[in-house]
Amino acid sequence: MDPAPPVYAALDALGIAYERHDHPAVFNAEDASKFWDPIPGVQCKNLFLRNKKGDRHYLVVLEITKRADLKEIVKLVGDDRLSFGSPERLMAELGLTPGSVSPFGLINDADGSVRVLIDQDLKKADRLIFHPNINTASVVVSWADLERFLGTRTNAVRLVTIAQGD
């Protein structure tokens, strides 16, 4: 089943304007940037993380060129060691496969348990580029519309400062 139509339906139901761009499958930020470079907007990457016990999950949203320091994110959230969630865990929590992670996966998080951390630098962007839960398409939305979408979810959302990293 194509996971993108429920994203488009959710955006349409909220009256959120978006641009849709289809492209070949991409599996990481570098691959995506090849297709995103011609699109005006801030290219975003999304990291699905879990704590050491595996009982808390985080979605970290940041600009594609930033490198998230997991030790710094641990300090931000006050949790124990963080690591990337497995493909099985990603599917169980957000209904997504690696390479297609985005905030729109929250539509599959019925209990709102995944905690969302968004780099506050994204607030400055007029246009943000994400996958619509599939890695063969991209959507562009405004910061205000991303906030509206997140406001319909029960997930905890925090704006955080993520340093540029190396």
Side-chain angles (χ1 to χ4, degrees):
M1 183 181 103
D2 182 350
V7 173
Y8 304 138
L11 296 175
D12 290 341
L14 293 168
I16 291 176
Y18 60 92
E19 290 174 22
R20 176 180 168 177
H21 299 270
D22 294 311
H23 50 72
V26 295
F27 296 96
N28 57 48
E30 293 74 31
D31 290 346
S33 69
K34 294 173 195 167
F35 302 102
W36 288 354
D37 284 347
I39 303 170
V42 173
Q43 301 173 25
C44 299
K45 67 180 171 183
N46 305 271
L47 310 176
F48 178 69
L49 306 174
R50 58 168 279 198
N51 69 347
K52 185 176 181 179
K53 291 182 184 175
D55 60 352
R56 282 186 293 279
H57 300 92
Y58 299 90
L59 177 64
V60 180
V61 183
L62 64 159
E63 200 267 324
I64 201 170
T65 62
K66 285 194 175 186
R67 294 185 56 84
D69 181 338
L70 298 189
K71 291 178 183 168
E72 289 301 314
I73 294 173
V74 164
K75 293 176 188 173
L76 291 172
V77 299
D79 210 328
D80 54 13
R81 185 176 54 89
L82 295 177
S83 60
F84 288 93
S86 67
E88 296 77 19
R89 191 175 291 266
L90 175 60
M91 180 57 71
E93 295 296 323
L94 293 176
L96 301 175
T97 58
S100 63
V101 181
S102 87
F104 303 122
L106 298 173
I107 64 174
N108 300 318
D109 183 16
D111 65 359
S113 64
V114 175
R115 299 163 189 204
V116 183
L117 304 172
I118 300 178
D119 183 23
Q120 67 180 1
D121 286 349
L122 294 180
K123 283 179 64 171
K124 302 172 192 167
D126 292 329
R127 296 161 47 93
L128 301 167
I129 307 170
F130 297 102
H131 290 304
N133 294 352
I134 194 165
N135 65 355
T136 58
S138 299
V139 293
V140 181
V141 297
S142 70
W143 168 257
D145 283 338
L146 176 64
E147 280 189 308
R148 275 185 40 217
F149 170 79
L150 293 171
T152 67
R153 314 311 316 150
T154 59
N155 304 79
V157 178
R158 278 181 54 197
L159 289 178
V160 296
T161 301
I162 298 178
Q164 183 61 37
D166 48 6

